[in-house]
Amino acid sequence: MNTQFEKFNVKPFILEAVKELRFQKPTEVQERMIPSLLNGESAIGQSQTGTGKTHAYLIPILSKIDPSVQEVQAVITAPTRELANQIYQEVLKMTKFCAPEEEITARCYIGGTDKQRTIDRLKQQPQIVVGTPGRIKDLMSEKALQVYTAKTIVVDEADLMLEMGFIEDIDKIASAMPKDLQILVFSATIPEKLKPFLRKYMENPKYTHVAPKQVTAAKINHLLIPVKSKNKMKLLHDVLVQLNPFLAIVFTNTKKKADEVADSLLEQGLKVGRIHGDLNPRERKKMMKQINELDYQFVVATDLAARGIDIEGVSHVINFEIPTDLDFYVHRVGRTGRAEYSGKAITFYEPTDENALSQIEKLGITFTQMDLKGGELVEIGARNKRQNRQKKVNEIDVAAKTAVKKSEKVKPGYKKKHKYEVEQFKKRQRRLKKR
Ligand code: ADP
Ligand code: MG
């Protein structure tokens, strides 16, 4: 079988690996970035989740490793342990095709592992380092890991790195590397706050933005289910049972809620996995393994798990709650419909979510409204936006009244002044909403 990767000037073992992975042709980011990355250019790659960013950098990096030089040649950083480990696994899937005399050594450095053992083993430096910024920085300050020989650094999921406060660590790592370092930054979004970092390290980066044709993969169906007066936990249970999914991930906004939902589903007789930031590293690793081995049909997760992690075969994503940061809607539903699979994203909503829903619709997403009727999920008419819009005005009203505090002491004319302030606040709110 010929793949369309032959046109890149990459080593033969890469082509073999790609065949084994059954990639028939490069995705758009890969197509556009691999040639310049092979040339050693620094680059920013922005494209939606599930578009193959990992191999956009792994293929050129692996192809350029000099197997005869036993020193660190590339450092790949990721914001979470799972993600780092997943990238590392992808590295191994490719390096196993190296000829014995051209073996490439790679290591994964993440928290929650035996640091002393890692340090002992670092008597020999690996050629590829994958890890979380914190642990890599630690190993550097222990003088165990030597990154000054590296030619390339990857900052994967850069926006999440920023959000989790890792940019400083990356800054430290990058500043220990050579001046002519190749810096590769990948992200689904490039937030304004990331720009100072990009400016500091990248003089003339090649910026590749694969504009989403649709915000999320085309094969995803976006469904809405109104909670109305129903018991939400029972509704979730009934919907899950009715869907009988291959693998469904239920997203909540907090760890606490994730536990509540998982506990409730357990009580209602479903076998559920859970993944969030409160699990210790061993539990997390075990859970990821079980999920990937399809031990669970249902998994409850927080957004920490939504990012980057490539759990295969997610057929349904359920938003038990709409994420506070709406970008996460896209990240969450990006867990399904990856590569050639199709998927369903189901969002539970209440009248107060109307504003968030219309924001999501502005991203180009079209919802189909569903409801459980007689134990079956059926399509119902579009939600009544106008009625809810009326509600929104009332919400502004309530918000205005709480935001503009009454003065402690009642002075003459205070009522008039208070009324004026409330009006001003409302005006501001309406203006903000329009933007
Ligand atoms: P991103 O980092 O952009 O979110 P990933 O690198 O995790 O996306 O890739 C998403 C999925 O697509 C993975 O399962 C990966 O194996 C698969 N994939 C990557 N490149 C290709 C390709 N060229 N052809 C088919 N599938 C691919
Ligand atoms: Mg990725």
Side-chain angles (χ1 to χ4, degrees):
M1 182 185 81
N2 235 11
T3 66
Q4 289 182 40
F5 285 82
E6 276 84 2
K7 65 181 168 208
F8 299 125
N9 188 14
V10 293
K11 289 187 184 154
F13 84 88
I14 302 270
L15 298 177
E16 274 181 56
V18 160
K19 267 182 210 165
E20 173 82 9
L21 289 168
R22 301 185 183 286
F23 294 175
Q24 297 192 351
K25 57 174 202 283
T27 64
E28 192 176 344
V29 244
Q30 292 164 1
E31 180 84 42
R32 289 172 59 186
M33 295 188 79
I34 291 175
S36 55
L37 266 50
L38 282 165
N39 279 338
E41 285 176 47
S42 286
I44 301 170
Q46 183 186 358
S47 70
Q48 59 190 124
T49 38
T51 51
K53 293 191 283 295
T54 320
H55 288 85
Y57 62 80
L58 282 189
I59 289 174
I61 287 176
L62 288 170
S63 188
K64 291 201 326 172
I65 296 288
D66 181 348
S68 65
V69 180
Q70 199 57 55
E71 54 185 31
V72 176
Q73 298 179 41
V75 174
I76 299 166
T77 61
T80 65
R81 294 166 183 178
E82 284 90 358
L83 194 50
N85 187 48
Q86 194 172 290
I87 296 166
Y88 177 62
Q89 298 304 326
E90 294 301 325
V91 170
L92 296 183
K93 279 185 205 163
M94 305 203 60
T95 54
K96 73 174 187 208
F97 287 93
C98 293
E101 66 281 5
E102 298 203 322
E103 251 173 56
I104 294 175
T105 51
R107 295 276 179 275
C108 186
Y109 300 127
I110 53 182
T113 54
D114 185 344
K115 193 157 105 188
Q116 196 49 51
R117 218 181 124 223
T118 306
I119 293 175
D120 294 343
R121 290 186 67 191
L122 269 167
K123 291 201 177 69
Q124 196 192 17
Q125 300 286 309
Q127 290 156 327
I128 295 185
V129 168
V130 184
T132 47
R135 180 51 69 99
I136 292 176
K137 194 198 69 180
D138 262 14
L139 293 171
M140 285 165 59
S141 45
E142 298 272 359
K143 305 243 181 310
L145 182 65
Q146 286 149 16
V147 298
Y148 60 84
T149 52
K151 295 177 178 61
T152 309
I153 184 170
V154 175
V155 183
D156 202 352
E157 301 275 350
D159 50 351
L160 194 61
M161 290 279 200
L162 177 84
E163 226 164 273
M164 294 174 75
F166 288 149
I167 293 294
E168 260 173 54
D169 287 346
I170 293 170
D171 207 332
K172 288 220 176 77
I173 299 169
S175 62
M177 292 180 165
K179 274 254 140 34
D180 55 350
L181 183 70
Q182 177 184 37
I183 302 197
L184 307 176
V185 175
F186 288 86
S187 202
T189 60
I190 309 283
E192 203 52 42
K193 281 197 205 129
L194 190 65
K195 293 188 177 157
F197 171 83
L198 300 178
R199 275 195 288 269
K200 176 171 175 189
Y201 278 101
M202 308 173 86
E203 262 168 32
N204 260 319
K206 197 177 153 72
Y207 175 58
T208 304
H209 181 192
V210 177
K213 291 184 186 65
Q214 273 177 327
V215 189
T216 58
K219 297 147 287 182
I220 301 176
N221 266 325
H222 301 268
L223 310 178
L224 281 181
I225 296 183
V227 179
K228 291 191 201 135
S229 54
K230 297 188 196 85
N231 175 330
K232 206 170 171 185
M233 295 289 188
K234 171 144 193 328
L235 180 65
L236 175 65
H237 167 271
D238 294 350
V239 167
L240 289 177
V241 169
Q242 167 62 25
L243 291 173
N244 191 17
F246 181 73
L247 175 60
I249 303 191
V250 179
F251 281 105
T252 64
N253 291 347
T254 61
K255 297 181 258 194
K256 189 165 161 265
K257 188 56 108 190
D259 275 332
E260 275 173 36
V261 170
D263 289 341
S264 163
L265 291 176
L266 265 178
E267 265 169 40
Q268 296 178 80
L270 295 185
K271 186 183 173 201
V272 288
R274 64 185 83 186
I275 180 151
H276 57 60
D278 269 356
L279 300 187
N280 71 39
R282 267 194 45 220
E283 291 169 324
R284 276 211 266 177
K285 209 167 152 192
K286 190 171 156 211
M287 184 57 71
M288 287 305 295
K289 187 159 174 275
Q290 286 176 319
I291 293 171
N292 280 313
E293 285 170 356
L294 299 175
D295 279 0
Y296 296 104
Q297 203 180 356
F298 315 103
V299 176
V300 182
T302 57
D303 286 303
L304 184 68
R307 292 299 297 271
I309 291 178
D310 188 26
I311 299 172
E312 257 182 61
V314 177
S315 57
H316 295 75
V317 164
I318 311 224
N319 294 306
F320 186 75
E321 302 170 291
I322 297 183
T324 345
D325 177 348
L326 294 179
D327 278 349
F328 277 99
Y329 180 86
V330 178
H331 296 314
R332 287 180 182 183
V333 304
R335 297 310 94 200
T336 186
R338 283 166 93 79
E340 57 253 55
Y341 307 106
S342 67
K344 282 196 169 72
I346 297 171
T347 301
F348 286 12
Y349 82 98
E350 309 192 36
T352 47
D353 293 324
E354 178 54 39
N355 202 11
L357 290 179
S358 39
Q359 294 293 337
I360 295 171
E361 283 173 328
K362 276 190 202 137
L363 298 174
I365 284 165
T366 314
F367 289 112
T368 309
Q369 166 120 328
M370 310 289 285
D371 207 356
L372 263 189
K373 290 239 161 92
E376 268 188 65
L377 262 184
V378 292
E379 195 175 327
I380 56 175
R383 63 190 196 283
N384 191 342
K385 293 183 200 175
R386 191 167 298 136
Q387 184 193 332
N388 291 323
R389 208 169 289 143
Q390 188 59 43
K391 235 192 185 108
K392 233 163 58 191
V393 174
N394 294 337
E395 270 167 44
I396 295 178
D397 225 59
V398 174
K401 277 185 187 139
T402 29
V404 183
K405 272 208 205 111
K406 288 183 189 169
S407 51
E408 302 271 304
K409 281 184 198 143
V410 178
K411 294 189 195 109
Y414 119 86
K415 257 192 184 160
K416 209 167 153 193
K417 186 162 173 257
H418 179 70
K419 202 172 157 200
Y420 173 75
E421 279 176 5
V422 169
E423 279 314 312
Q424 289 301 98
F425 177 87
K426 280 202 225 169
K427 255 191 213 154
R428 246 178 288 138
Q429 286 296 304
R430 277 188 219 111
R431 227 177 290 139
L432 278 177
K433 287 233 159 99
K434 273 193 202 132
R435 271 186 210 156

